[in-house]
């Protein structure tokens, strides 16, 4: 991300902290893992962040969710990337955010 001239606002291992960090930093884009510690998983935290701040969310996960009931909700966000994620996977999302802003 830094090689694409992005500023990293922070990282979080819990959904609750991800929401709090998003409130404080107001990032242009959130890269969200689906499995997080805490009471909120990544999908629940993403819903809150999106609803409260309108921040675009791109999910990243090592797990396949096509057969998961929450997959429909994942598809309603900006994107989904399977881990491992390379910079060329994220770059189109970064470029789109820059065009939108």
């Amino acid at each position: 991300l830094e090689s694409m001239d992005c500023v990293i606002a922070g990282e979080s291992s819990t959904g609750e902290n991800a929401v709090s960090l998003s409130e404080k930093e107001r990032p242009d884009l959130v890269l969200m893992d689906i499995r997080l510690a805490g009471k909120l998983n990544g999908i629940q935290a993403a819903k809150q962040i999106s609803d409260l701040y309108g921040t675009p969310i791109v999910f990243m996960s090592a797990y396949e969710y096509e057969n998961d009931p929450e997959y429909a909700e994942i598809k309603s966000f900006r994107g989904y990337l399977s881990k491992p994620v390379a910079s060329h996977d994220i770059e189109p999302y970064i470029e789109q955010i820059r065009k939108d802003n």
Side-chain angles (χ1 to χ4, degrees):
L1 292 171
E2 290 172 339
S3 69
M4 291 182 269
D5 294 325
C6 295
V7 175
I8 299 170
E11 61 182 74
S12 172
S13 61
T14 69
E16 296 82 5
N17 191 47
V19 174
S20 177
L21 186 61
S22 292
E23 177 183 19
K24 180 182 174 196
E25 298 295 332
R26 299 294 172 102
D28 294 324
L29 175 68
V30 171
L31 301 174
M32 179 74 73
D33 199 336
I34 293 171
R35 292 191 174 193
L36 297 176
K39 294 179 182 177
L40 296 177
N41 68 28
I43 296 169
Q44 294 163 330
K47 284 183 198 174
Q48 286 189 20
I49 293 166
S50 181
D51 290 347
L52 290 169
Y53 314 113
T55 308
I57 311 286
V58 174
F59 286 102
M60 301 184 306
S61 184
Y63 301 95
E64 295 299 323
Y65 284 90
E66 285 84 6
N67 297 322
D68 191 297
E70 291 185 303
Y71 185 67
E73 293 180 63
I74 294 169
K75 290 180 7 182
S76 71
F77 288 92
R78 184 64 63 109
Y80 176 87
L81 299 169
S82 293
K83 290 181 181 179
V85 176
S87 60
H88 68 270
D89 298 322
I90 298 173
E91 193 168 13
Y93 297 103
I94 302 294
E95 293 305 318
Q96 186 60 51
I97 294 299
R98 287 180 174 152
K99 286 170 62 176
D100 292 347
N101 290 333

